[in-house]
Amino acid sequence: MARAPADRYRCSACGYESLKWLGRCPECEAWNTFEQYTPAAARGSAGGGRSARSRAADGGRDSAGGAPRGRGGALRGEFGSGDGDASAGSEAAEVVWLHELEGRAPERVSSGIGELNRVLGGGFVPGAAVVIGGEPGIGKSTLMLQAAAAAELSTLYLSGEESPRQIALRAERLGLRAARIRVAAETELGRIEALLAEQKPQLVIVDSVQTLFAAELGGIAGGVTQVRACAQELTDWARRSGAVLLMVAHVTKEGSIAGPKLLEHIVDAVLHFEHTDNELRFLRAAKNRFGAIEEIGLFAMEERGLQEVLDPATIFLVRRTAPVPAGIAAAPVFEGTRILLVELQALTVPAKGGVSRVFSDRIDSGRVSRVAAVLERHLGIGFSDQDIYVNVAGGIRIGEVGVELPLAVALYSARTERPVPPGVIVAGELSLAGEVRPVRLIERRAKTARELGYGRFYGPPVKGGGGANEAHHEKTHTVESLRDCIEAVFGRAAG
Ligand code: TYD
Ligand code: MG
């Protein structure tokens, strides 16, 4: 009652709004991020002379879908074709016939880095804004600098985190061609817009979006209002001018600063840079308006910056000289259009207190429970009094159904203490009835596995293939049921 009716609460991490204070944000699940604020409408007469910037701040989600998108920078695919500093509100949007634009894939410009192009869906799209999110220290600035040097574009690097001198040192240490890169340690939006109008770059890197601020807006740099408004303004500028905009956004565990999630509705693509257990880095798209989001990019951070991992098939396999212990099975799984061979590790121990639990971070634990239940029901292997631990070497998460049959093999091996014989590999989906279901591109999995030393491949029948897999160029052995598979791999099944 005492509360002024117009006051609201907003998550400082993702911008989610609520009428009451919440301990945990239902949108981004961050804790203790809600802050009180007064919406602009309630500020009354102060709204009279508001700029597009502050309207964007208050209604970022709505204005993100508004007029500036239709202005055609991306569709024309030309750099610097628009008037970078034309006021967005002064003229009506151009009207176009849809059929004239149909079927034209967006023009792509190579970033000069294959793995980055892959995740982007083929390269940069002129006029598009891309956010690169990740924890501090993961390598975002390094990637930006390498892309700036590799892309054949005139680049303006706006740094709010490092001085131009530090960036120059890094470029020198990495041996990068820095001839086309201009750097400015500028973070104030108005001055940035002036710089953009003057320099007319084809590629703009903002490092980081959390250091930006617009002098006439309230709030602190890095806060929801500032980050959203500045990102919106620059995104609109990119659309008008046809330049490529890359914005670095830090993600922190505490979620106390506005992060990539906040910008998802504003920009065209959001890429996440993440760690694995070994020194590899993944680049993944969480959103991509111009391409699929299933491809991952793989990098290793080395002495001289990020190196692309061009042939990732074996990087997650564990090399051993000793025989492979029980509980381990290899699996050929798809990540996007590439096959990775991964090592699944299973361990079962008697459950304490008689309650069976599953500990599995890398494969959904519901899937692990289901596969264990199928083994129990159809092969009589008891798991209900066991705790089950499942891991994937290298720390990669696997969500693909083709991992189910290898998971069953690893669990069987762990529970019976019979190691998988050398050279054996399996792939397939498992039904609750204990059947082995087809998975896509089984022949490619078999081929990759054979090239990497797995001579005995067991998998489901090929979809639409007439009976036996005789049409296979690759030698695969068809298994129709889990029992078939276990007997083929281990000899006569126990139980
Ligand atoms: P950086 O790109 O600064 O990360 P971010 O911008 O995401 O905060 O890189 C962070 C780490 O990478 C830093 O701890 C040092 C390491 N690194 C290398 O190992 N090799 C290199 O060549 C470079 C440039 C950085
Ligand atoms: Mg950085």
Side-chain angles (χ1 to χ4, degrees):
M1 290 289 162
R3 185 166 58 83
D7 277 358
R8 290 195 198 171
Y9 294 84
R10 183 155 65 183
C11 171
S12 61
C14 73
Y16 181 88
E17 292 183 8
S18 163
L19 286 173
K20 50 185 208 297
W21 188 87
L22 300 172
R24 187 180 201 188
C25 176
E27 174 82 16
C28 70
E29 301 184 343
W31 288 94
N32 294 324
T33 51
F34 275 81
E35 290 165 0
Q36 194 170 11
Y37 84 106
T38 307
R43 280 187 231 128
S45 57
R50 292 196 310 140
S51 65
R53 197 164 295 166
S54 64
R55 285 198 306 279
D58 296 331
R61 275 157 210 250
D62 305 329
S63 58
R69 184 162 305 155
R71 294 177 70 85
L75 290 165
R76 282 200 303 276
E78 298 156 21
F79 283 116
S81 56
D83 183 356
D85 52 358
S87 158
S90 62
E91 53 187 273
E94 182 191 355
V95 176
V96 292
W97 287 105
L98 209 47
H99 70 84
E100 288 177 0
L101 302 174
E102 271 171 14
R104 274 201 242 160
E107 188 186 321
R108 300 276 182 175
V109 184
S110 175
S111 69
I113 299 178
E115 293 293 282
L116 179 57
N117 287 346
R118 171 188 291 278
V119 178
L120 289 166
F124 295 131
V125 175
V130 180
V131 162
I132 315 267
E135 288 176 14
I138 186 92
K140 300 181 295 299
S141 301
T142 308
L143 182 64
M144 291 302 95
L145 193 58
Q146 289 184 224
E152 306 272 315
L153 302 172
S154 77
T155 301
L156 180 60
Y157 194 123
L158 296 162
S159 177
E161 309 231 331
E162 290 153 310
S163 68
R165 176 108 199 92
Q166 282 171 310
I167 296 172
L169 279 174
R170 173 180 290 175
E172 196 179 313
R173 199 158 59 74
L174 298 180
L176 296 175
R177 287 185 306 149
R180 262 190 312 268
I181 311 173
R182 287 158 286 173
V183 182
E186 183 55 77
T187 55
E188 203 284 313
L189 189 59
R191 292 197 294 266
I192 286 176
E193 287 176 318
L195 276 182
L196 295 176
E198 174 197 307
Q199 303 275 325
K200 296 194 176 17
Q202 297 170 317
L203 171 63
V204 177
I205 293 169
V206 175
D207 189 0
S208 66
V209 73
Q210 284 113 351
T211 61
L212 295 179
F213 75 102
E216 75 270 31
L217 274 188
I220 45 159
V224 170
T225 304
Q226 287 280 356
V227 168
R228 188 150 68 192
C230 294
Q232 178 76 63
E233 199 88 352
L234 291 179
T235 299
D236 289 346
W237 171 83
R239 290 205 174 101
R240 290 197 302 274
S241 69
V244 177
L245 173 65
L246 297 180
M247 293 187 284
V248 168
H250 294 295
V251 180
T252 58
K253 289 216 174 71
E254 309 82 62
S256 56
I257 51 171
K261 185 105 191 119
L262 178 73
L263 305 175
E264 238 168 54
H265 305 277
I266 296 173
V267 299
D268 299 291
V270 177
L271 313 184
H272 283 282
F273 215 13
E274 296 163 15
H275 267 292
T276 60
D277 289 355
N278 40 28
E279 275 304 286
L280 289 173
R281 269 107 166 121
F282 280 92
L283 194 62
R284 272 182 205 283
K287 160 180 177 166
N288 189 355
R289 190 168 277 150
F290 303 110
I293 55 168
E294 60 168 15
E295 292 289 352
I296 61 167
L298 280 165
F299 296 91
M301 179 62 94
E302 290 172 8
E303 279 285 283
R304 303 198 60 185
L306 291 158
Q307 305 298 321
E308 299 178 64
V309 178
L310 296 174
D311 181 15
T314 60
I315 51 171
F316 292 103
L317 277 184
V318 180
R319 301 272 169 222
R320 287 193 179 75
T321 45
V324 175
I328 286 178
V333 293
F334 271 96
E335 270 291 345
T337 53
R338 290 187 292 194
I339 296 174
L340 302 180
L341 260 60
V342 296
E343 178 179 298
L344 311 184
Q345 304 168 347
L347 171 71
T348 62
V349 291
K352 291 151 204 80
V355 185
S356 161
R357 287 171 301 176
V358 172
F359 301 88
S360 176
D361 297 339
R362 310 302 183 191
I363 298 176
D364 176 59
S365 46
R367 174 168 274 159
V368 175
S369 301
R370 191 154 42 79
V371 169
V374 173
L375 272 166
E376 180 151 345
R377 175 68 181 78
H378 296 281
L379 285 161
I381 306 296
F383 287 98
S384 45
D385 57 350
Q386 302 285 313
D387 281 343
I388 301 173
Y389 295 82
V390 170
N391 190 25
V392 180
I396 181 174
R397 249 184 285 284
I398 296 171
E400 203 231 319
V401 292
V403 79
E404 291 182 352
L405 196 59
L407 177 61
V409 167
L411 286 169
Y412 178 92
S413 167
R415 189 71 182 98
T416 60
E417 296 180 29
R418 299 163 76 178
V420 177
V424 170
I425 195 166
V426 309
E429 185 184 349
L430 200 54
S431 79
L432 290 180
E435 306 149 290
V436 175
R437 309 286 310 149
V439 286
R440 66 189 179 108
L441 301 172
I442 196 76
E443 285 153 308
R444 263 190 60 199
R445 297 183 206 238
K447 179 166 182 288
T448 305
R450 181 178 51 76
E451 285 167 1
L452 297 171
Y454 292 89
R456 274 168 69 198
F457 183 96
Y458 298 102
V462 175
K463 254 186 220 163
N469 292 347
E470 64 228 328
H472 280 203
H473 300 299
E474 288 304 319
K475 195 158 168 275
T476 66
H477 303 280
T478 300
V479 285
E480 308 262 359
S481 69
L482 178 58
R483 176 173 290 275
D484 267 6
C485 176
I486 294 294
E487 286 183 0
V489 173
F490 296 96
R492 259 196 72 77

